[in-house]
Amino acid sequence: NDLLVGTDSLTGSLTRIAGEDVGAYTIIQGTVDNSNYDITYNSADLTITKAEQTITFDPLSDKVMGDPDFDVDATASSGLSVTFTVEGEGVCTISGNTISIISVGICTVTAHQSGGDNHNGAEDVSQSFTIATLLHTITASAGTNGTMTPLGGTNVADGESQGFRRALRGRGVRL
C-alpha cells in the first residue's frame, strides 16, 4: 500500500451500526489503528435492500365431482405466509386453504405472497386441476315396478323420471 511506510500496517476492524433489516447502516472506524499514523476516517453507509423470494406450489391432482373438500399448501422461500385465490367461477371455491368442489370443469388455484418489511413480493404461482363428472351405472329390469334409491337417498318411483333426472344432474350426472 503506497500510503503506509515500509512494513507498517493497519490493525483492527471496521464496524457498523447493528441491524439486519432493510435500511442504511453507518460504517464506523471501529478499532482500526496504527500508532505511527493519524487516521482520518471517512464514514460510509452499508445499504441492505429487500430480498427476493419464490413460492413453491406443487401440482394438484384431478378430482371427481362429489370428492370431499381438500387443503392446498404452498411455501414462500422467505418463510412468510402464502394466500390463495381460485379462478373457475362456479367450479370451485376456497376458504383459507380449503378447496370446495362445486361443479365439473377446470379450477385454477393461485398462490400469492405480497412481501414484507424485508422481502419483495413473490411471483404468483398457479396450478390447475380438472373436476370430472362422477359416473353412475343404474340398471333397471324390464317390467319391474317399484322404487329405486340411487345416490344414497333420492327415491325414484314409477313415472317420476323428470325428478330423477333433476336429482342426478344436481349431483353432476349427465343424462
Side-chain angles (χ1 to χ4, degrees):
N1 191 333
D2 294 338
L3 300 177
L4 299 176
V5 176
T7 59
D8 283 352
S9 64
L10 297 177
T11 59
S13 62
L14 299 174
T15 60
R16 71 171 171 94
I17 294 176
E20 303 302 320
D21 292 330
V22 169
Y25 299 90
T26 302
I27 300 171
I28 54 179
Q29 184 175 342
T31 60
V32 174
D33 193 23
N34 183 309
S35 60
N36 295 329
Y37 300 91
D38 288 327
I39 297 175
T40 302
Y41 177 75
N42 295 320
S43 180
D45 286 341
L46 168 71
T47 302
I48 298 175
T49 60
K50 286 189 176 192
E52 298 300 324
Q53 63 172 328
T54 58
I55 294 174
T56 301
F57 185 22
D58 292 332
L60 301 172
S61 300
D62 289 343
K63 301 294 181 182
V64 174
M65 188 63 202
D67 280 352
D69 295 352
F70 63 98
D71 290 340
V72 292
D73 186 43
T75 57
S77 60
S78 63
L80 296 170
S81 63
V82 175
T83 59
F84 300 94
T85 57
V86 295
E87 295 175 31
E89 190 171 324
V91 175
C92 60
T93 61
I94 192 161
S95 177
N97 69 329
T98 302
I99 303 283
S100 297
I101 295 171
I102 305 300
S103 66
V104 297
I106 296 174
C107 178
T108 301
V109 182
T110 303
H112 312 273
Q113 206 319 298
S114 59
D117 292 341
N118 293 311
H119 291 86
N120 288 317
E123 185 173 326
D124 290 347
V125 177
S126 296
Q127 299 290 352
S128 296
F129 65 97
T130 300
I131 302 164
T133 302
L134 178 62
L135 300 177
H136 292 281
T137 302
I138 299 172
T139 306
S141 302
T144 302
N145 294 320
T147 302
M148 296 189 306
T149 309
L151 302 171
T154 304
N155 292 327
V156 181
D158 290 337
E160 293 184 355
S161 63
Q162 291 302 316
F164 179 59
R165 287 174 184 267
R166 279 191 296 277
L168 290 177
R169 277 192 208 111
R171 289 183 169 82
V173 177
R174 292 184 184 170
L175 298 175

